Amino acid sequence: MTVQVTQSAGMGGQWPTHVQDLSDGERLVVWAFRRWVSGPQHLSLLAREFDRQFRRSEARPALQALDAALTGLTRHARRTIIYHQPCCGCLGADEVCLISIVAALQSGAQHAADAMAQWLVRREGVAEFIAALDDLAECLSGSGHDLPYRARQRGVSSTTTAQPLSLQVH
């Protein structure tokens, strides 16, 4: 199965909806994801930025981990993955999910990472996807890019479910 990746507008709720709301590490992950899914013409730019953002010993492993994770996502996507154009300031739910998985892995919240991964990939692809993102999370941490782990807000009922939003393509 080939994943279809779609560019789309933002989402609502308690999670960040704009790139400006993100930490530097989160911005790096979203930027790298958008460049990777935008096509092979962006890969040399991606490699140069990883050389700049990561310690020398971690740049190549980080790039390999990103490639493995997104290749796994491509193979096992549950549905069309939504993203924004590389320079767009908005965030989509799938982009927030990706950074949330990396943050959960950095924070040792393996069960939360697994649960979020199942929103993006089919069950048979979760282990491969998580393993690659865990490698990326480790490289990010080793280079000082720690992502904040955003948990459910206090006072929000555990029975509250997110409702899908209609997203406008731009």
Side-chain angles (χ1 to χ4, degrees):
M1 173 183 177
T2 302
V3 67
Q4 295 175 329
V5 185
T6 306
Q7 297 178 0
S8 183
M11 59 175 238
Q14 68 189 20
W15 303 104
T17 58
H18 293 90
V19 173
Q20 69 189 21
D21 299 334
L22 301 177
S23 70
D24 289 342
E26 290 171 317
R27 277 191 214 106
L28 177 60
V29 171
V30 169
W31 181 89
F33 167 71
R34 289 176 177 182
R35 294 293 179 196
W36 192 95
V37 298
S38 292
Q41 69 273 20
H42 295 276
L43 295 182
S44 62
L45 175 63
L46 186 57
R48 284 192 306 272
E49 186 63 17
F50 271 41
D51 284 342
R52 198 174 72 77
Q53 292 287 336
F54 288 90
R55 289 188 336 205
R56 181 176 294 284
S57 63
E58 292 172 335
R60 188 160 184 75
L63 190 57
Q64 290 170 333
L66 176 72
D67 184 63
L70 298 182
T71 298
L73 177 61
T74 300
R75 284 190 201 126
H76 301 288
R78 297 177 58 89
R79 57 182 166 68
T80 299
I81 302 301
I82 310 296
Y83 77 104
H84 289 265
Q85 295 177 26
C87 296
C88 182
C90 298
L91 285 174
D94 292 338
E95 294 169 326
V96 173
C97 185
L98 182 67
I99 60 174
S100 296
I101 294 168
V102 174
L105 290 167
Q106 285 183 330
S107 298
Q110 183 71 41
H111 293 297
D114 289 343
M116 288 183 279
Q118 289 181 39
W119 191 60
L120 295 176
V121 298
R122 293 185 310 275
R123 186 175 309 270
E124 65 269 15
V126 169
E128 172 188 344
F129 184 59
I130 288 292
L133 285 180
D134 195 37
D135 291 344
L136 177 61
E138 189 174 314
C139 291
L140 285 159
S141 292
S143 291
H145 298 292
D146 293 317
L147 282 63
Y149 180 52
R150 304 170 197 266
R152 182 175 56 89
Q153 289 181 349
R154 292 192 183 273
V156 175
S157 169
S158 62
T159 60
T160 302
T161 57
Q163 297 298 315
L165 299 174
S166 177
L167 301 175
Q168 177 184 11
V169 175
H170 65 111

